[in-house]
């Protein structure tokens, strides 16, 4: 998540649906300059991990300089057909393939 440590405070508008529900609820009734740690249940955030967002990728399909360096929890960036990018996490490394996870990291 983002932080305003050593920067100007973050500015958000509540009630517009731009924040995950648990974070928005945690901000309610805060006062200016108040610091707070908010613990958010997955049901109030991004939900359960979806199995269909795990995918096997052959190591032979990876860029040459990445093949020997790939490791579990490594962050990767994939480019979609429309040019948009998607962050992935390496969930498993096998002999000839890796399993990537496209679920939200939080």
């Amino acid at each position: 998540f983002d932080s305003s440590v050593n920067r100007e405070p973050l500015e958000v508008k509540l009630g517009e649906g731009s924040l995950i529900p648990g974070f928005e609820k945690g901000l309610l009734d805060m006062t200016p300059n108040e610091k707070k740690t908010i613990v958010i249940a997955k049901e109030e955030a991004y939900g359960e991990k979806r199995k269909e967002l795990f995918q096997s990728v052959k190591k032979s399909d990876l860029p040459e300089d990445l093949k020997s360096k790939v490791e579990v929890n490594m962050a990767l960036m994939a480019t979609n057909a429309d040019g948009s990018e998607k962050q992935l996490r390496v969930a498993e490394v096998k002999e000839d393939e890796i399993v990537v996870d496209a679920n939200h990291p939080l």
Side-chain angles (χ1 to χ4, degrees):
F1 199 74
D2 206 351
S3 172
S4 62
V5 174
N6 299 321
R7 298 186 321 182
E8 291 294 314
L10 298 173
E11 187 174 314
V12 297
K13 290 186 180 181
L14 301 179
E16 292 186 343
S18 61
L19 302 172
I20 57 174
F23 185 61
E24 188 162 320
K25 287 178 185 176
L27 295 177
L28 293 174
D29 302 321
M30 284 187 72
T31 58
N33 298 315
E34 179 181 352
K35 293 182 179 185
K36 184 177 191 179
T37 298
I38 302 169
V39 177
I40 305 169
K42 60 185 165 199
E43 297 81 17
E44 294 277 341
Y46 299 100
E48 297 283 343
K49 286 197 177 281
R50 295 173 35 202
K51 291 181 181 180
E52 68 271 18
L53 295 179
F54 287 82
Q55 182 177 346
S56 293
V57 178
K58 293 179 183 177
K59 283 186 178 178
S60 61
D61 291 339
L62 297 174
E64 198 60 45
D65 63 332
L66 184 62
K67 290 178 185 179
S68 64
K69 297 178 186 175
V70 69
E71 58 186 40
V72 172
N73 290 324
M74 176 182 272
L76 300 176
M77 192 66 70
T79 304
N80 297 316
D82 65 0
S84 64
E85 293 184 330
K86 178 72 176 170
Q87 183 176 339
L88 307 172
R89 179 188 66 83
V90 177
E92 188 176 353
V93 177
K94 300 178 181 180
E95 187 172 333
D96 295 323
E97 66 183 17
I98 64 171
V99 177
V100 294
D101 176 5
N103 282 284
H104 193 282
L106 297 178

PDB file of all heavy atoms in Angstrom, residues 14 25 30 42 90 93 104:
ATOM      1  N   LEU A  14     -13.777   9.792   0.891  1.00  0.00           N
ATOM      2  CA  LEU A  14     -14.507   8.612   1.352  1.00  0.00           C
ATOM      3  C   LEU A  14     -15.863   8.525   0.668  1.00  0.00           C
ATOM      4  O   LEU A  14     -16.442   9.534   0.278  1.00  0.00           O
ATOM      5  CB  LEU A  14     -14.682   8.673   2.869  1.00  0.00           C
ATOM      6  CG  LEU A  14     -13.390   8.742   3.690  1.00  0.00           C
ATOM      7  CD1 LEU A  14     -13.707   8.817   5.174  1.00  0.00           C
ATOM      8  CD2 LEU A  14     -12.498   7.560   3.404  1.00  0.00           C
ATOM      9  N   LYS A  25     -13.373   2.031   6.059  1.00  0.00           N
ATOM     10  CA  LYS A  25     -13.961   1.953   7.403  1.00  0.00           C
ATOM     11  C   LYS A  25     -12.951   2.352   8.467  1.00  0.00           C
ATOM     12  O   LYS A  25     -13.290   2.997   9.457  1.00  0.00           O
ATOM     13  CB  LYS A  25     -14.481   0.550   7.692  1.00  0.00           C
ATOM     14  CG  LYS A  25     -15.748   0.216   6.950  1.00  0.00           C
ATOM     15  CD  LYS A  25     -16.182  -1.220   7.234  1.00  0.00           C
ATOM     16  CE  LYS A  25     -17.385  -1.592   6.396  1.00  0.00           C
ATOM     17  NZ  LYS A  25     -17.765  -3.004   6.593  1.00  0.00           N
ATOM     18  N   MET A  30     -11.282   9.410  11.936  1.00  0.00           N
ATOM     19  CA  MET A  30      -9.906   9.823  12.243  1.00  0.00           C
ATOM     20  C   MET A  30      -9.838  11.341  12.268  1.00  0.00           C
ATOM     21  O   MET A  30     -10.607  12.023  11.601  1.00  0.00           O
ATOM     22  CB  MET A  30      -8.919   9.275  11.212  1.00  0.00           C
ATOM     23  CG  MET A  30      -8.607   7.806  11.389  1.00  0.00           C
ATOM     24  SD  MET A  30      -7.296   7.230  10.276  1.00  0.00           S
ATOM     25  CE  MET A  30      -5.861   8.014  11.009  1.00  0.00           C
ATOM     26  N   LYS A  42      -9.455 -10.176   4.840  1.00  0.00           N
ATOM     27  CA  LYS A  42      -9.475 -10.378   3.390  1.00  0.00           C
ATOM     28  C   LYS A  42     -10.859 -10.138   2.791  1.00  0.00           C
ATOM     29  O   LYS A  42     -10.990  -9.695   1.659  1.00  0.00           O
ATOM     30  CB  LYS A  42      -8.945 -11.756   3.024  1.00  0.00           C
ATOM     31  CG  LYS A  42      -9.715 -12.908   3.597  1.00  0.00           C
ATOM     32  CD  LYS A  42      -9.026 -14.222   3.282  1.00  0.00           C
ATOM     33  CE  LYS A  42      -9.586 -15.319   4.164  1.00  0.00           C
ATOM     34  NZ  LYS A  42      -8.708 -16.447   4.221  1.00  0.00           N
ATOM     35  N   VAL A  90       5.938 -15.127  -8.522  1.00  0.00           N
ATOM     36  CA  VAL A  90       6.305 -16.521  -8.764  1.00  0.00           C
ATOM     37  C   VAL A  90       5.888 -17.322  -7.537  1.00  0.00           C
ATOM     38  O   VAL A  90       6.360 -17.080  -6.429  1.00  0.00           O
ATOM     39  CB  VAL A  90       7.823 -16.670  -9.025  1.00  0.00           C
ATOM     40  CG1 VAL A  90       8.188 -18.145  -9.201  1.00  0.00           C
ATOM     41  CG2 VAL A  90       8.237 -15.860 -10.246  1.00  0.00           C
ATOM     42  N   VAL A  93       8.619 -22.843  -8.413  1.00  0.00           N
ATOM     43  CA  VAL A  93       9.625 -23.051  -9.453  1.00  0.00           C
ATOM     44  C   VAL A  93       9.840 -24.555  -9.593  1.00  0.00           C
ATOM     45  O   VAL A  93      10.168 -25.234  -8.628  1.00  0.00           O
ATOM     46  CB  VAL A  93      10.966 -22.358  -9.097  1.00  0.00           C
ATOM     47  CG1 VAL A  93      12.013 -22.643 -10.162  1.00  0.00           C
ATOM     48  CG2 VAL A  93      10.766 -20.861  -8.914  1.00  0.00           C
ATOM     49  N   HIS A 104      -4.064 -10.308  -6.542  1.00  0.00           N
ATOM     50  CA  HIS A 104      -3.547  -9.081  -5.940  1.00  0.00           C
ATOM     51  C   HIS A 104      -2.598  -9.459  -4.808  1.00  0.00           C
ATOM     52  O   HIS A 104      -2.895 -10.357  -4.024  1.00  0.00           O
ATOM     53  CB  HIS A 104      -4.694  -8.212  -5.402  1.00  0.00           C
ATOM     54  CG  HIS A 104      -4.261  -6.844  -5.070  1.00  0.00           C
ATOM     55  ND1 HIS A 104      -3.568  -6.557  -3.912  1.00  0.00           N
ATOM     56  CD2 HIS A 104      -4.387  -5.680  -5.734  1.00  0.00           C
ATOM     57  CE1 HIS A 104      -3.307  -5.264  -3.881  1.00  0.00           C
ATOM     58  NE2 HIS A 104      -3.783  -4.707  -4.979  1.00  0.00           N
TER      59      HIS A 104
END
